[in-house]
């Protein structure tokens, strides 16, 4: 395999690729506009998938989808194993979620995103055989401090000390699910506050890892694919992420073992989730959120806001764009 560590390697995911990928997430978000708040999540997702696929075809890279929307038989979803891009240039693993938060989009709620993450070929963990993962995400202060194996109360106290703030000022993001009732209670008993998310744990994890974020930690069981996508972003932010696979049945666990995944309490560290240090994470807002503003249409223009995170440079860039409506819905 060609080494991608040299700065001038022709296969290295670079800043030009990052900006090209923004066009694909912008397209997916824009195409979702007619369905925001209309209760039609399948239609929103289908429109976003079609737009993202069309724009990815124009990007000069050799991408293989490791984390996709669905299997090949469920077209038009972008499926695991599908090749995207022109086939020329950089060889990459690709994770896509044309809309992370289809229910949020359908209900017109905050924090829906269109997301793409890429890393060097062969470096993303393929956890598609196990749907759920228990995750712990913090910013840089949590590196070497917190551990998913510890009780949540202890992790909150350790992180609060590292951040130099009182426990009662700590805020922890958790998906609002029945499976998290005990976890939520333990967070509150520890003296911290909670931010309960309806959906969208990719945004929740990134917000917890950002500098001067409103939340300090994101914990709980969410999608395994979302864990891999989040790891690509966390590497750019210098934060902390750990995950443990959470199979629902013995059959699901066996499928995971057959695929080479690890169980029995094994904790996946950041470098196991994504082995590459050359990651790119791109997201465009579909609805408003802490990370980015949602797409909006005003008169003859559509406005989008995106973020681009690159681990190679340790940067988070914001891209604000104006699009002529006539070019999209003419």
């Amino acid at each position: 395999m060609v080494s991608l560590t040299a700065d001038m390697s022709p296969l290295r995911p670079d800043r030009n690729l990052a900006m090209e990928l923004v066009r694909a997430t912008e397209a997916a978000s824009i195409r979702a506009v007619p369905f925001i708040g209309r209760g039609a999540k399948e239609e929103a997702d289908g429109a976003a998938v079609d737009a993202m696929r069309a724009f990815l075809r124009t990007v000069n890279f050799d991408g293989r989808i490791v984390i996709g929307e669905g299997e090949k038989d469920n077209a038009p979803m972008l499926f695991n194993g599908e090749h995207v891009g022109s086939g020329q240039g950089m060889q990459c693993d690709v994770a896509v979620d044309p809309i992370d938060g289809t229910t949020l989009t359908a209900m017109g709620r905050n924090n829906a995103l269109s997301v793409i993450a890429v890393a060097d070929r062969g470096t993303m963990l393929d956890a598609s055989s196990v749907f759920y993962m228990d995750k712990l995400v913090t910013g840089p202060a949590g590196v070497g401090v917190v551990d998913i194996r510890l009780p949540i109360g202890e992790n909150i106290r350790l992180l609060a000390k590292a951040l130099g703030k009182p426990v009662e000022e700590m805020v922890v993001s958790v998906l609002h699910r029945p499976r998290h009732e005990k976890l939520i209670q333990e967070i509150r008993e520890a003296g911290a506050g909670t931010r309960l998310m309806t959906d969208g744990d990719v945004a929740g994890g990134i917000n917890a890892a950002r500098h001067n974020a409103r939340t300090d930690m994101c914990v709980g069981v969410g999608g395994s694919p979302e864990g891999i996508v989040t790891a690509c972003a966390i590497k750019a932010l210098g934060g902390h992420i750990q995950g443990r696979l959470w199979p629902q049945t013995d059959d699901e666990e066996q499928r995971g073992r057959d695929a080479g995944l690890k169980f029995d309490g094994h904790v996946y560290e950041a470098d196991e989730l994504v082995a590459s240090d050359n990651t790119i994470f791109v997201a465009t807002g579909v609805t408003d959120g802490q990370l980015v503003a949602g797409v909006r249409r005003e008169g003859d223009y559509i406005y989008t806001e995106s973020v681009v995170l690159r681990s190679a440079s340790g940067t988070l860039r914001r891209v604000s764009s104006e699009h002529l409506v006539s070019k999209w819905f003419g």
Side-chain angles (χ1 to χ4, degrees), residues 259-294:
L261 298 176
K262 300 176 183 179
F263 298 90
D264 305 315
H266 178 79
V267 174
Y268 281 91
E269 305 288 346
D271 284 340
E272 289 182 279
L273 297 172
V274 184
S276 174
D277 287 326
N278 304 323
T279 64
I280 295 172
F281 172 92
V282 175
T284 301
V286 178
T287 59
D288 287 339
Q290 291 182 48
L291 185 61
V292 285

Side-chain angles (χ1 to χ4, degrees), residues 3 10 33 39 54 64 70 79 98 102 107 140 142 187 217 226 245 287 317:
S3 172
V33 167
R64 180 191 64 187
F79 58 88
T102 53
M107 299 178 71
I187 292 168
M217 185 185 299
E226 287 82 354
L245 294 170
T287 59
R317 291 184 172 87

Side-chain angles (χ1 to χ4, degrees), residues 40-61:
K41 67 178 186 177
E42 290 83 6
E43 289 86 344
D45 204 30
V49 167
D50 289 344
M52 181 173 283
R53 176 181 275 120
F55 271 78
L56 284 176
R57 289 194 192 106
T58 71
V59 179
N60 190 34
F61 78 129

